[in-house]
Amino acid sequence: ANIKTALMDSMLEMVGTSHVTFACTGAMEPILYQENLEGAMQRGAMLVDISVPRNIDDVGANKVEGVKAYNVDDLKAVVAANQARRQRLVLEAEELLQDEMKSFKGWHQSLGTVPMITKLQSRANKIRREELLKYERKLSGLSAQERETVERLTKGIVAKLLHGPMSHLRTVDDVSDRQSTVKSLEAMFRL
Protein backbone atom coordinates (compact mmCIF):
# COMPACT_ATOMS: atom_id res chain seq x y z
CA ALA A 1 0.00 0.00 0.00
CA ASN A 2 1.18 3.47 -0.80
CA ILE A 3 0.33 5.31 2.41
CA LYS A 4 1.36 8.92 2.81
CA THR A 5 1.05 11.29 5.73
CA ALA A 6 0.98 15.03 5.29
CA LEU A 7 1.14 18.15 7.38
CA MET A 8 -1.57 20.82 7.31
CA ASP A 9 0.30 23.11 4.86
CA SER A 10 0.22 20.42 2.12
CA MET A 11 -3.13 18.94 3.14
CA LEU A 12 -5.25 20.09 0.17
CA GLU A 13 -2.62 19.05 -2.39
CA MET A 14 -2.37 15.58 -0.79
CA VAL A 15 -6.17 15.17 -0.51
CA GLY A 16 -6.66 16.31 -4.11
CA THR A 17 -4.36 13.59 -5.50
CA SER A 18 -5.30 10.70 -3.21
CA HIS A 19 -7.83 7.95 -3.78
CA VAL A 20 -8.64 7.67 -0.07
CA THR A 21 -8.02 10.17 2.71
CA PHE A 22 -8.47 9.57 6.43
CA ALA A 23 -8.79 12.76 8.45
CA CYS A 24 -8.06 12.87 12.16
CA THR A 25 -6.77 16.09 13.72
CA GLY A 26 -7.29 18.04 16.89
CA ALA A 27 -9.25 20.73 15.01
CA MET A 28 -12.45 21.83 16.67
CA GLU A 29 -14.25 22.46 13.35
CA PRO A 30 -14.13 21.00 9.83
CA ILE A 31 -10.90 21.57 7.91
CA LEU A 32 -12.17 19.95 4.69
CA TYR A 33 -15.37 21.37 3.22
CA GLN A 34 -17.02 21.98 -0.13
CA GLU A 35 -15.32 25.31 -0.87
CA ASN A 36 -11.70 24.23 -0.32
CA LEU A 37 -12.22 20.77 -1.90
CA GLU A 38 -13.74 22.03 -5.18
CA GLY A 39 -10.53 23.63 -6.33
CA ALA A 40 -8.23 20.94 -4.94
CA MET A 41 -9.73 17.68 -6.19
CA GLN A 42 -7.92 16.22 -9.20
CA ARG A 43 -9.61 12.79 -9.11
CA GLY A 44 -12.54 10.97 -7.54
CA ALA A 45 -11.85 10.22 -3.91
CA MET A 46 -13.17 8.79 -0.69
CA LEU A 47 -12.80 10.95 2.40
CA VAL A 48 -13.13 9.21 5.77
CA ASP A 49 -13.44 11.34 8.89
CA ILE A 50 -12.49 9.33 11.97
CA SER A 51 -12.15 12.31 14.30
CA VAL A 52 -14.42 13.75 16.95
CA PRO A 53 -15.30 16.55 16.55
CA ARG A 54 -15.51 16.14 12.80
CA ASN A 55 -12.72 17.33 10.52
CA ILE A 56 -14.72 16.95 7.29
CA ASP A 57 -17.99 18.65 6.47
CA ASP A 58 -19.39 15.50 4.88
CA VAL A 59 -22.60 17.17 3.67
CA GLY A 60 -20.64 19.83 1.75
CA ALA A 61 -17.87 17.42 0.68
CA ASN A 62 -20.41 15.04 -0.85
CA LYS A 63 -21.56 17.88 -3.14
CA VAL A 64 -18.11 17.97 -4.77
CA GLU A 65 -18.05 15.93 -7.98
CA GLY A 66 -16.33 12.55 -7.53
CA VAL A 67 -16.07 12.86 -3.74
CA LYS A 68 -17.72 10.49 -1.29
CA ALA A 69 -17.28 11.48 2.34
CA TYR A 70 -17.90 9.25 5.35
CA ASN A 71 -17.80 9.97 9.05
CA VAL A 72 -17.65 7.88 12.23
CA ASP A 73 -21.44 7.59 12.33
CA ASP A 74 -21.46 6.24 8.74
CA LEU A 75 -18.84 3.68 9.72
CA LYS A 76 -20.89 2.70 12.76
CA ALA A 77 -23.93 2.22 10.51
CA VAL A 78 -21.88 0.03 8.14
CA VAL A 79 -20.59 -2.01 11.08
CA ALA A 80 -24.13 -2.36 12.48
CA ALA A 81 -25.47 -3.44 9.08
CA ASN A 82 -22.65 -5.96 8.70
CA GLN A 83 -23.26 -7.30 12.19
CA ALA A 84 -26.98 -7.65 11.48
CA ARG A 85 -26.20 -9.44 8.21
CA ARG A 86 -23.74 -11.74 9.95
CA GLN A 87 -26.30 -12.46 12.67
CA ARG A 88 -28.87 -13.41 10.00
CA LEU A 89 -26.29 -15.65 8.36
CA VAL A 90 -25.50 -17.24 11.72
CA LEU A 91 -29.20 -17.98 12.27
CA GLU A 92 -29.49 -19.46 8.77
CA ALA A 93 -26.37 -21.56 9.35
CA GLU A 94 -27.69 -22.79 12.70
CA GLU A 95 -30.98 -23.78 11.09
CA LEU A 96 -29.14 -25.59 8.31
CA LEU A 97 -26.93 -27.36 10.84
CA GLN A 98 -29.98 -28.45 12.85
CA ASP A 99 -31.61 -29.86 9.71
CA GLU A 100 -28.42 -31.67 8.74
CA MET A 101 -27.95 -32.96 12.30
CA LYS A 102 -31.49 -34.33 12.28
CA SER A 103 -30.82 -36.05 8.94
CA PHE A 104 -27.52 -37.42 10.20
CA LYS A 105 -29.09 -38.73 13.43
CA GLY A 106 -31.81 -40.43 11.40
CA TRP A 107 -29.21 -42.00 9.13
CA HIS A 108 -27.03 -43.00 12.07
CA GLN A 109 -29.97 -44.56 13.91
CA SER A 110 -31.00 -46.41 10.76
CA LEU A 111 -27.60 -48.12 10.78
CA GLY A 112 -28.90 -50.13 13.74
CA THR A 113 -31.47 -51.67 11.40
CA VAL A 114 -28.89 -52.92 8.89
CA PRO A 115 -28.24 -56.27 10.65
CA MET A 116 -32.00 -56.95 10.82
CA ILE A 117 -32.50 -56.00 7.18
CA THR A 118 -29.59 -58.26 6.21
CA LYS A 119 -31.08 -61.17 8.21
CA LEU A 120 -34.48 -60.56 6.66
CA GLN A 121 -33.08 -60.52 3.12
CA SER A 122 -30.94 -63.61 3.78
CA ARG A 123 -33.91 -65.53 5.19
CA ALA A 124 -36.15 -64.57 2.28
CA ASN A 125 -33.50 -65.49 -0.30
CA LYS A 126 -32.86 -68.81 1.43
CA ILE A 127 -36.58 -69.61 1.23
CA ARG A 128 -36.63 -68.54 -2.43
CA ARG A 129 -33.67 -70.80 -3.30
CA GLU A 130 -35.17 -73.76 -1.36
CA GLU A 131 -38.44 -73.40 -3.23
CA LEU A 132 -36.65 -73.23 -6.57
CA LEU A 133 -34.73 -76.43 -5.64
CA LYS A 134 -38.02 -78.19 -4.88
CA TYR A 135 -39.16 -77.50 -8.43
CA GLU A 136 -35.77 -78.10 -10.08
CA ARG A 137 -37.02 -81.18 -11.92
CA LYS A 138 -40.06 -79.34 -13.32
CA LEU A 139 -37.87 -76.38 -14.33
CA SER A 140 -35.14 -78.52 -15.95
CA GLY A 141 -36.72 -78.24 -19.38
CA LEU A 142 -36.43 -74.43 -19.42
CA SER A 143 -33.91 -72.67 -21.59
CA ALA A 144 -31.19 -70.51 -19.99
CA GLN A 145 -33.19 -67.41 -20.85
CA GLU A 146 -36.38 -68.84 -19.29
CA ARG A 147 -34.43 -69.86 -16.15
CA GLU A 148 -33.10 -66.28 -15.92
CA THR A 149 -36.67 -65.00 -16.20
CA VAL A 150 -37.80 -67.28 -13.35
CA GLU A 151 -34.79 -66.14 -11.27
CA ARG A 152 -35.62 -62.45 -11.83
CA LEU A 153 -39.31 -63.07 -11.18
CA THR A 154 -38.71 -64.79 -7.83
CA LYS A 155 -36.16 -62.16 -6.75
CA GLY A 156 -38.66 -59.42 -7.67
CA ILE A 157 -41.42 -61.06 -5.61
CA VAL A 158 -39.09 -61.34 -2.59
CA ALA A 159 -37.99 -57.71 -2.95
CA LYS A 160 -41.59 -56.49 -3.12
CA LEU A 161 -42.62 -58.56 -0.11
CA LEU A 162 -39.70 -57.23 1.96
CA HIS A 163 -40.03 -53.61 0.87
CA GLY A 164 -42.79 -52.72 3.35
CA PRO A 165 -41.19 -54.22 6.47
CA MET A 166 -37.73 -52.85 5.60
CA SER A 167 -39.05 -49.36 4.84
CA HIS A 168 -40.99 -49.33 8.10
CA LEU A 169 -37.93 -50.47 10.02
CA ARG A 170 -35.80 -47.67 8.52
CA THR A 171 -38.31 -44.96 9.45
CA VAL A 172 -38.84 -45.90 13.11
CA ASP A 173 -37.16 -43.08 15.08
CA ASP A 174 -37.75 -44.15 18.65
CA VAL A 175 -35.21 -46.70 19.92
CA SER A 176 -37.76 -48.70 21.95
CA ASP A 177 -40.19 -48.74 19.00
CA ARG A 178 -37.37 -49.96 16.74
CA GLN A 179 -36.45 -52.73 19.20
CA SER A 180 -40.09 -53.78 19.38
CA THR A 181 -40.33 -53.79 15.58
CA VAL A 182 -37.14 -55.85 15.31
CA LYS A 183 -38.51 -58.41 17.78
CA SER A 184 -41.78 -58.60 15.87
CA LEU A 185 -39.95 -59.15 12.57
CA GLU A 186 -37.73 -61.81 14.16
CA ALA A 187 -40.80 -63.64 15.39
CA MET A 188 -42.74 -63.28 12.14
CA PHE A 189 -39.92 -64.42 9.87
CA ARG A 190 -38.28 -66.81 12.37
CA LEU A 191 -34.93 -65.04 12.19
Side-chain angles (χ1 to χ4, degrees):
N2 188 8
I3 299 174
K4 297 177 185 174
T5 58
L7 298 175
M8 294 295 284
D9 58 347
S10 60
M11 173 189 68
L12 284 175
E13 178 186 338
M14 188 64 67
V15 170
T17 59
S18 299
H19 291 285
V20 179
T21 299
F22 286 88
C24 184
T25 72
M28 299 307 291
E29 56 188 48
I31 57 171
L32 295 172
Y33 41 88
Q34 182 178 356
E35 292 77 17
N36 67 358
L37 290 171
E38 283 179 334
M41 299 309 294
Q42 297 175 24
R43 63 166 13 132
M46 180 188 320
L47 307 178
V48 183
D49 189 348
I50 57 174
S51 60
V52 177
R54 293 190 181 146
N55 288 167
I56 300 173
D57 171 19
D58 56 322
V59 174
N62 280 323
K63 292 178 183 175
V64 177
E65 186 178 341
V67 173
K68 185 64 184 146
Y70 299 95
N71 60 44
V72 173
D73 293 334
D74 296 328
L75 298 176
K76 286 179 184 175
V78 169
V79 168
N82 285 339
Q83 286 176 330
R85 182 178 164 272
R86 280 191 218 119
Q87 186 60 37
R88 282 192 309 274
L89 291 173
V90 165
L91 293 174
E92 289 174 20
E94 286 175 348
E95 187 176 318
L96 180 63
L97 284 172
Q98 287 174 356
D99 290 346
E100 289 301 317
M101 183 61 100
K102 185 177 178 183
S103 295
F104 175 77
K105 283 182 178 178
W107 170 79
H108 188 260
Q109 288 175 346
S110 76
L111 291 179
T113 64
V114 170
M116 172 50 68
I117 290 171
T118 302
K119 281 184 193 177
L120 194 55
Q121 288 174 327
S122 295
R123 176 79 171 125
N125 279 320
K126 181 181 176 197
I127 292 170
R128 182 185 69 81
R129 284 190 305 274
E130 288 171 355
E131 291 302 308
L132 283 174
L133 280 175
K134 283 182 189 176
Y135 292 95
E136 181 65 32
R137 219 183 298 157
K138 290 183 179 180
L139 299 174
S140 63
L142 297 178
S143 69
Q145 185 178 4
E146 290 169 328
R147 281 183 163 280
E148 180 60 32
T149 301
V150 170
E151 190 74 20
R152 280 197 316 263
L153 174 68
T154 58
K155 283 181 179 179
I157 291 169
V158 167
K160 287 188 185 221
L161 285 172
L162 294 181
H163 179 73
M166 290 190 310
S167 293
H168 176 70
L169 190 57
R170 285 185 187 114
T171 60
V172 176
D173 289 333
D174 184 66
V175 174
S176 61
D177 287 348
R178 186 179 311 112
Q179 289 172 343
S180 173
T181 302
V182 165
K183 286 182 184 192
S184 295
L185 288 172
E186 285 175 335
M188 279 188 273
F189 290 98
R190 296 183 184 140
L191 301 175

